[in-house]
Amino acid sequence: MKPELVSFKLCPFVQRSVIVLLEKGVPFDITYINLKEPPEWFKAISPLGKVPLLKVGDTVLFESAVIMEYLDEVNPPSLHPADPLRKAHNRAWIEFASGLLAGQYMLTMAAKDEAAFNTQRDELRARLMQLEQQITAPLFNGSDFALVDAAFAPFFMRLKLLEGWQPLGLLQGLPKVTQWARQLLERPAVQQSVVAEFAELYRNHIQGMGGYGARVFCAA
Ligand SMILES: N[C@@H](CCC(=O)N[C@@H](CS)C(=O)NCC(=O)O)C(=O)O
């Protein structure tokens, strides 16, 4: 049964599933909605009012980590490490990646003034320093691409754009994370996981949110 992803073009959580589907070469449909004006059919089937949703027949799945796990399980070979402890460790760091995405959202869209922006920037930097200690390199577990890599890739795609618009040096002195991010962004599945006009949409969205991030990243 062909799965259908319900998406918002800028959502990093949906992007994780798209990366997994593309890495595995699984055919899927994708339906985009406007989160500012969600359609009635979406409100009716989304328990938390959030994307991603994955529709498989009559069943609706939500929560990106759960969706990734399901897609991995039904489309072998698995993108998780085989060792149970390592697998659990990867799952824990997938949760950490969700925290990084939330922090990136706070930095770009929610911080209203310079002080709030700086707090978010410093928090992201501290988390990235923690991450540096966890990576085997070149990818999270070494050379094999894993679900945990798919979970972090959307963060690095946005970070690269942000650093291009206004360098913050968030990866400075973090060679493993820097190399990991570069390798992830070179993968075709990662590059093809967003719409062609993604960079422009992302910038416009930050600008439209009108926070301090709009002044920092959209000034030029
Ligand atoms: N924990 C959720 C987070 C999903 C999420 O925050 N999605 C955002 C878009 S990127 C959303 O739908 N927000 C709508 C809302 O909160 O009303 C997951 O991992 O799937």
Side-chain angles (χ1 to χ4, degrees), residues 8 18 61 76 78 89 98 110 132-133 153 163-164 176 185 191-192 200 210:
F8 165 60
V18 177
L61 299 178
S78 174
H89 180 264
S98 297
E132 179 75 8
Q133 312 305 317
E163 292 280 354
K176 284 188 183 175
L185 296 183
Q191 291 173 1
Q192 292 159 21
E200 189 189 345

Side-chain angles (χ1 to χ4, degrees), residues 59-77:
T59 304
V60 176
L61 299 178
F62 58 105
E63 283 301 318
S64 61
V66 175
I67 292 172
M68 279 201 304
E69 296 274 351
Y70 167 75
L71 291 172
D72 188 52
E73 214 172 332
V74 295
N75 298 290

